[in-house]
Amino acid sequence: MTDITTIPALAAIVYTIIDIVKTAMGGDEKFRRFIPLIACVLGAVCGVVAFYCVPGTMGTENLLVAIVLGAASGLSATGTNQAVKQLAPTKKEE
């Protein structure tokens, strides 16, 4: 059952880290352009960490699959961020 919750957990971790870094960087447009790439790499790193530090949670015995699952989790964090932005009312709508 833990392999089902690993992907959303990694996505939540990446989402939180990216949000913290984005807040710390302020409105730097160069950084914002690379957020999906950074989230993908960060997710892959989290996948490797989860694969080695908590064996069995990734649901695979293959490191490459753990990297791909982690990268997909990072990209889903970016998608979640965009979904939240699109659903939140803007100041013009209020």
Side-chain angles (χ1 to χ4, degrees), residues 15-73:
Y15 182 87
T16 303
I17 292 171
I18 290 292
D19 197 40
I20 290 169
V21 172
K22 188 169 47 172
T23 303
M25 295 291 289
D28 187 16
E29 189 60 37
K30 287 184 180 181
F31 172 74
R32 290 181 183 271
R33 292 179 60 197
F34 291 105
I35 286 177
L37 179 63
I38 294 168
C40 182
V41 171
L42 186 59
V45 169
C46 287
V48 170
V49 170
F51 181 78
Y52 284 116
C53 292
V54 192
T57 59
M58 290 301 289
T60 182
E61 298 297 321
N62 188 344
L63 178 62
L64 181 62
V65 175
I67 292 170
V68 170
L69 287 174
S73 297

Side-chain angles (χ1 to χ4, degrees), residues 15 22 35 77-87:
Y15 182 87
K22 188 169 47 172
I35 286 177
T78 304
T80 303
N81 181 10
Q82 289 302 309
V84 169
K85 267 175 70 172
Q86 295 297 323
L87 293 175

